[in-house]
Amino acid sequence: TVTQTIALSKTSASNAGFITGLAMVVVPLGHAAMTRAWPGLNVWGAMALALAGVAVLTWHTPFVLNVGDAWAVACAIGFGAHLLILGRYAPKADTIALTVVQLGVTGVVGALVSLSSGATFVLPPTPTCWYSLTFTTLVCTALCFYLMTFAQRFIKPHAVALVFLLEPVFAALASSWLLHEPLSWRSA
């Protein structure tokens, strides 16, 4: 998202990762506000354990807050709101149509932010850039939006938020496997 990109440009990756992980707290709180029903202790326990795990993977000393961290909080709220809204509409809507709407909104917002920042549009200069752009557009964006929309027809938003918290774990494993970075208990 736009807020995550801005956050990553203005704070450390570990701060952004940890704070963005707070989306999993936003989801049960937002769900409780929407339904007037508090999640069970098992949900809160799972969220606490997951948050502790993200903290172990991403926390560093000293933890200093800055403007990028505020953008990461906005990102966490946005991710949480997205999961809640999708949880409400995915069971009732056509998965492909809802995916197209999400991609359209994401594209329009991204274009508006890009244009308002003074960025210029440049076509990718090499076939490798085109391949990367095509792959990330179709697989990493469109397919992931579709799969998330489809899954949220059957899975509660707080469970999806827990799955999202596996991102730092997969990032650490992928960086170890693909980039041969050392894997340790604090390697996210």
Side-chain angles (χ1 to χ4, degrees):
T1 67
V2 172
T3 54
Q4 188 175 42
T5 302
I6 295 170
L8 286 167
S9 73
K10 299 185 179 300
T11 191
S12 68
S14 56
N15 273 27
F18 178 73
I19 295 168
T20 301
L22 295 176
M24 58 88 183
V25 175
V26 170
V27 171
L29 291 176
H31 185 262
M34 289 169 44
T35 63
R36 306 284 188 249
W38 285 95
L41 288 178
N42 59 337
V43 171
W44 290 109
M47 296 294 179
L49 285 173
L51 184 59
V54 170
V56 166
L57 286 172
T58 62
W59 198 274
H60 62 88
T61 304
F63 186 79
V64 179
L65 295 175
N66 58 50
V67 69
D69 299 329
W71 283 104
V73 168
C75 178
I77 293 168
F79 279 171
H82 182 224
L83 293 177
L84 288 166
I85 292 167
L86 204 52
R88 172 175 266 182
Y89 293 106
K92 304 171 198 165
D94 177 72
T95 302
I96 292 174
L98 190 52
T99 300
V100 169
V101 168
Q102 293 175 87
L103 291 171
V105 170
T106 301
V108 168
V109 169
L112 291 174
V113 169
S114 180
L115 291 172
S116 70
S117 71
T120 57
F121 179 77
V122 178
L123 289 174
T126 67
T128 302
C129 288
W130 276 106
Y131 170 77
S132 298
L133 178 65
T134 302
F135 181 81
T136 56
T137 300
L138 296 178
V139 177
C140 302
T141 306
L143 179 62
C144 290
F145 267 71
Y146 173 81
L147 292 173
M148 186 172 75
T149 303
F150 179 79
Q152 279 207 249
R153 295 172 59 106
F154 312 103
I155 301 171
K156 300 268 188 234
H158 64 269
V160 176
L162 281 171
V163 172
F164 267 48
L165 281 180
L166 291 173
E167 183 179 359
V169 175
F170 285 117
L173 292 173
S175 67
S176 175
W177 180 50
L178 297 171
L179 303 174
H180 307 289
E181 292 180 359
L183 187 61
S184 70
W185 68 281
R186 294 181 58 93
S187 48

